Amino acid sequence: MKNKKKKFKIKYILMLVLVVYLASIFIRQEFEINNLDSNIKKEQNEKQELEKFIEDKGKKAEYLNKISSAKNPISYIDSLDNEKQKKEYKNILQHIENVAREELFMVKPNEIIYIDKNKLKNIFDKED
């Protein structure tokens, strides 16, 4: 009878260990699934942000292509309906002009340039 009770207890103990082990596996899997779901949501958000960024850049590139293909910038400004687009176009033209003047040293036709030698710093000049 004692032998039967020991086998009976051992069976319950083994069953209990098996149930605890299976429960721990299910709990770990649940945490892993939640973690993967949150990663999927995060990556979907990042994907949407990148798609929006690409779409915005595509619109800007299309807009800049329209601007650069315009033969007469002034008439192109007048043809725009939206005031915001007109303002952006004027800002773009101003930026292009500033870059051309400051970095490429370009001038308008019949423009006279005065150079202030005091403002120029030449690395070969010796300072006293």
Side-chain angles (χ1 to χ4, degrees):
M1 192 85 149
K2 287 184 180 181
N3 199 11
K4 237 182 186 187
K5 283 186 177 180
K6 281 185 179 179
K7 284 184 181 178
F8 187 70
K9 285 183 180 180
I10 291 175
K11 283 182 185 178
Y12 279 118
I13 291 172
L14 287 176
M15 289 280 248
L16 182 65
V17 169
L18 181 63
V19 168
V20 169
Y21 176 70
L22 291 175
S24 68
I25 288 174
F26 287 128
I27 290 171
R28 276 189 267 146
Q29 285 180 345
E30 189 65 33
F31 282 123
E32 188 66 28
I33 288 171
N34 288 338
N35 188 19
L36 290 173
D37 284 342
S38 68
N39 287 345
I40 288 171
K41 287 178 184 178
K42 186 188 300 181
E43 289 186 9
Q44 285 175 342
N45 288 340
E46 289 175 2
K47 180 182 174 186
Q48 288 174 349
E49 289 175 7
L50 285 173
E51 287 174 348
K52 184 179 178 186
F53 178 78
I54 289 170
E55 183 180 333
D56 290 344
K57 291 297 179 183
K59 287 179 183 178
K60 286 183 181 180
E62 182 180 327
Y63 180 64
L64 288 174
N65 283 336
K66 285 180 184 178
I67 290 172
S68 64
S69 65
K71 292 183 180 178
N72 186 352
I74 304 302
S75 64
Y76 184 76
I77 290 175
D78 295 337
S79 69
L80 294 173
D81 297 330
N82 190 344
E83 289 297 321
K84 184 178 177 184
Q85 286 180 340
K86 287 181 182 181
K87 186 176 180 181
E88 286 179 7
Y89 182 71
K90 287 178 183 178
N91 288 341
I92 290 170
L93 288 178
Q94 186 65 40
H95 177 71
I96 291 170
E97 183 180 349
N98 288 340
V99 169
R101 287 177 172 276
E102 294 171 6
E103 295 182 18
L104 303 175
F105 304 107
M106 297 178 81
V107 295
K108 291 182 180 181
N110 299 325
E111 185 178 19
I112 299 172
I113 297 180
Y114 297 97
I115 299 174
D116 186 2
K117 289 185 179 182
N118 293 330
K119 289 186 179 180
L120 290 179
K121 292 183 180 178
N122 191 343
I123 58 172
F124 299 110
D125 289 342
K126 294 182 180 177
E127 293 184 18
D128 294 327

